[in-house]
């Protein structure tokens, strides 16, 4: 960069800094507004006032789009909260582990837009056979592919490894493109799968998954203690 160009750049910076400190500058020199050129993709605009008006319109458009996005998210969260509440009520009404398990699976399939559900139960809590049920008498030790997941006690979502997918979904594994996996304490784990690869994504919020996990875990504990 030449000294002359560097000098021009510094002078331009100084002018810009001065105008930021004195935003009313053009009120003292209104004739400058008529000769200033404003950068636009479509070319120069006619005046500073037109440029400012268009800038405000652009900002308002951005704010309106953000408001619509936030409103949509809030509505989705409200619907999810209502579904979780309905799941809680339905599970509380169940008077046996079998009814509780069937209720959870039916609600997850019908109300939460999932395509596959797998309930894995450890130990001796036996339920009638079902295509969504996996009994694992050996408990955690018999599922080493899930050891790290069970150790952290947190739901995860996204795409699982092929080993985990086939362990949960068997022959249906190729059809499942995304999964939400929830620990159920000492009782097992709960997996819900979707054919949509974007339905459950890594990094998505897990608040509702934790609520579902807590509901199912509490129900299993209550029913086991009462058995």
């Amino acid at each position: 960069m030449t000294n002359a160009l560097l000098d021009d750049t510094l002078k331009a910076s100084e002018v810009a800094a001065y105008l930021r400190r004195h935003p009313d500058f053009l009120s003292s020199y209104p004739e400058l507004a008529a000769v200033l050129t404003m950068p636009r993709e479509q070319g120069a605009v006619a005046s500073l006032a037109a440029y400012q008006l268009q800038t405000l319109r652009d900002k308002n458009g951005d704010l309106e789009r953000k408001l619509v996005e936030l409103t949509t998210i809030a509505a989705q969260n409200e619907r999810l909260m209502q579904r979780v509440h309905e799941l809680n009520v339905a599970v509380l009404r169940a008077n046996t582990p079998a009814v509780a398990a069937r209720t959870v699976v039916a609600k997850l399939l019908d109300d939460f837009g999932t395509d596959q559900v797998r309930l894995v139960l450890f130990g001796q809590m036996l339920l009638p056979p079902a295509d969504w049920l996996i009994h694992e008498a050996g408990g955690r030790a018999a599922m080493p592919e899930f050891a790290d997941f069970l150790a952290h006690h947190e739901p995860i979502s996204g795409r699982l490894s092929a080993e985990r997918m086939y362990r949960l979904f068997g022959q249906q594994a190729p059809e499942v493109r995304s999964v939400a996996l929830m620990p159920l304490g000492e009782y097992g784990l709960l997996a819900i799968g979707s054919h949509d690869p974007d339905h459950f994504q890594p990094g998505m919020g897990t608040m509702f998954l934790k609520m579902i996990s807590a509901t199912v875990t509490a129900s299993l504990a209550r029913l086991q203690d009462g058995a």
Side-chain angles (χ1 to χ4, degrees), residues 9-213:
T9 303
L10 289 174
K11 288 179 180 178
S13 303
E14 293 167 359
V15 171
Y18 179 85
L19 291 175
R20 289 191 183 96
R21 294 195 303 268
H22 301 85
D24 59 344
F25 178 80
L26 290 179
S27 64
S28 300
Y29 300 91
E31 70 278 4
L32 291 178
V35 298
L36 291 175
T37 300
M38 302 299 149
R40 304 293 291 172
E41 291 181 2
Q42 301 84 0
V45 297
S47 68
L48 179 60
Y51 175 74
Q52 291 174 326
L53 178 60
Q54 186 58 49
T55 300
L56 288 174
R57 286 174 176 168
D58 292 343
K59 288 182 178 179
N60 285 339
D62 290 340
L63 290 174
E64 288 176 358
R65 285 189 289 273
K66 289 179 180 177
L67 180 59
V68 169
E69 181 181 351
L70 290 173
T71 301
T72 300
I73 293 173
Q76 291 173 345
N77 286 341
E78 183 178 359
R79 288 194 293 270
L80 276 172
M81 186 65 74
Q82 179 62 33
R83 290 166 184 166
V84 171
H85 172 69
E86 292 172 356
L87 173 65
N88 290 343
V89 172
V91 170
L92 285 172
R93 289 174 175 168
N95 55 5
T96 69
V99 173
R102 288 199 304 269
T103 299
V104 168
V105 173
K107 283 288 186 181
L108 291 176
L109 289 172
D110 296 339
D111 296 347
F112 289 84
T114 59
D115 300 300
Q116 294 284 343
V117 177
R118 292 294 184 273
L119 175 62
V120 181
L121 292 180
F122 298 155
Q124 302 303 315
M125 184 179 287
L126 300 179
L127 297 177
D131 56 3
W132 43 262
L133 180 63
I134 300 174
H135 280 120
E136 187 47 75
R140 296 166 178 257
M143 302 186 74
E145 59 269 61
F146 293 96
D148 57 337
F149 163 72
L150 293 170
H152 288 90
H153 309 288
E154 291 288 334
I156 60 174
S157 57
R159 181 70 179 177
L160 302 182
S161 66
E163 184 181 20
R164 287 180 169 183
M165 293 290 285
Y166 277 97
R167 185 69 173 84
L168 292 171
F169 299 103
Q171 296 303 312
Q172 284 73 44
E175 304 171 10
V176 180
R177 307 296 301 280
S178 62
V179 179
L181 194 60
M182 292 159 276
L184 302 178
E186 63 185 85
Y187 303 104
L189 58 89
L190 178 65
I192 50 180
S194 173
H195 298 165
D196 180 359
D198 297 322
H199 194 78
F200 300 110
Q201 301 181 33
M204 68 184 298
T206 59
M207 180 184 69
F208 291 106
L209 298 180
K210 289 180 179 179
M211 294 172 66
I212 294 171
S213 174

